[in-house]
Amino acid sequence: MDRYLRVLTLFWSAAIAAELEYRINFLLAALSSLGNMVGSLFGLFLFYGSGYRFAGWSWEAALLVLGIFTLLQGFSATFLAPNLNRIVRHVQEGTLDFVLLKPIRSQFWLSTHTISPWGLPDIIFGIIIIGYAGQQLGLEIDNYLLSAIPLFFGFVILYSLWFMLGATSIWFVKIYNVTEVLRGLLEAGRYPMAAYPAAFRFFFTFVVPVAFLTTIPAEAMLGRSQLSGMIGAGVLALVLFFISTRFWRFALRFYTSASS
């Protein structure tokens, strides 16, 4: 574990040093994140401004879901997209050979090799939205700590789904459109699941587990979560992570080395 932590420190310090050569990008990323946040707030306001509300969700409670969604967006832009989107390029250019030859797990290397600080504005805006909504709702520190558990499970679920899609590049090579489809489906997490008809709620819970990413952590923060939901999120996260590691090993059996 100490060895992997040292490697991770080297990875991220080198990546941040390289990215900070283009500091104007941070300003552009912040402006882009601000625009996305304003657009999301406006979309939510279109519902609540007319007096309509999602069943069981006040304006402030719906803001919690939006804040968690924004936080996940920042997590994806900071940790997932910079790494997992490169799997396609490694397969295309044959540089995956060098990754497999390194004395470290290839999945760990591919998942953590770089980091992008340009996703930090989304993380900051997500925390601000959650903090404001929580203050309006009178939430205590215990509420935030309780929601950290399903939120962590949400991170693992999102990572596992993204990594498995990245692994399919060994067969299909160019899968950029597939990852965009995933992004589009995850956009449903911007609103509570109560905003959707029953058929869509079933789809976003049991087919594409969007509900476990935003709605369940928000319910935990509000003190509404049921033990079954928390356990379900934990089991799903463990199962998907296990499947992602096995799927990667299975995919490597079909990888044709660039040197062979």
Side-chain angles (χ1 to χ4, degrees):
M1 181 62 70
D2 289 340
R3 175 169 168 260
Y4 277 84
L5 287 175
R6 288 197 301 271
V7 170
L8 191 63
T9 302
L10 291 173
F11 280 168
W12 288 0
S13 59
I16 291 175
E19 292 287 351
L20 288 181
E21 293 180 8
Y22 310 96
R23 298 180 185 179
I24 190 65
N25 287 352
F26 185 81
L27 176 61
L28 297 176
L31 291 175
S32 176
S33 297
L34 181 61
N36 288 334
M37 183 185 70
V38 171
S40 298
L41 289 172
F42 179 73
L44 195 61
F45 178 77
L46 289 178
F47 290 101
Y48 285 85
S50 60
Y52 176 83
R53 67 167 55 193
F54 304 133
W57 292 86
S58 64
W59 163 257
E60 291 80 8
L63 277 181
L64 284 180
V65 177
L66 180 59
I68 292 173
F69 173 80
T70 306
L71 192 65
L72 283 171
Q73 269 194 327
F75 169 76
S76 300
T78 303
F79 301 101
L80 299 186
N83 288 292
L84 303 185
N85 287 348
R86 292 189 180 186
I87 298 177
V88 179
R89 193 170 70 187
H90 285 304
V91 174
Q92 285 180 312
E93 299 177 358
T95 52
L96 184 60
D97 292 9
F98 302 110
V99 177
L100 298 176
L101 290 173
K102 297 181 185 297
I104 194 171
R105 287 182 180 271
S106 57
Q107 183 173 352
F108 176 83
W109 195 97
L110 291 168
S111 302
T112 64
H113 181 249
T114 190
I115 186 174
S116 174
W118 317 135
L120 292 179
D122 274 331
I123 294 177
I124 294 171
F125 289 143
I127 293 173
I128 291 173
I129 295 174
I130 293 171
Y132 170 78
Q135 184 181 28
Q136 296 299 310
L137 291 166
L139 300 184
E140 303 291 340
I141 187 66
D142 293 343
N143 298 94
Y144 297 110
L145 292 177
L146 183 61
S147 68
I149 300 172
L151 186 59
F152 171 75
F153 292 150
F155 289 153
V156 176
I157 291 169
L158 183 59
Y159 160 77
S160 301
L161 291 174
W162 205 314
F163 187 82
M164 284 189 284
L165 279 178
T168 61
S169 62
I170 288 180
W171 291 284
F172 306 111
V173 184
K174 295 182 179 180
I175 60 164
Y176 297 108
N177 291 336
V178 178
T179 56
E180 288 305 313
V181 170
L182 177 62
R183 285 177 185 267
L185 290 172
L186 295 178
E187 286 287 325
R190 193 185 298 268
Y191 305 114
M193 285 296 104
Y196 302 100
F200 286 91
R201 290 200 298 269
F202 178 87
F203 178 81
F204 289 129
T205 302
F206 299 104
V207 181
V208 181
V210 175
F212 293 98
L213 302 181
T214 57
T215 299
I216 288 181
E219 288 177 338
M221 197 176 295
L222 292 168
R224 302 180 188 170
S225 64
Q226 298 179 353
L227 184 60
S228 58
M230 298 277 282
I231 294 175
V235 170
L236 182 62
L238 289 173
V239 169
L240 286 178
F241 183 77
F242 176 78
I243 292 176
S244 72
T245 58
R246 293 296 179 180
F247 185 71
W248 175 243
R249 294 178 186 178
F250 172 75
L252 288 178
R253 297 179 186 177
F254 298 88
Y255 175 64
T256 301
S257 171
S259 60
S260 62

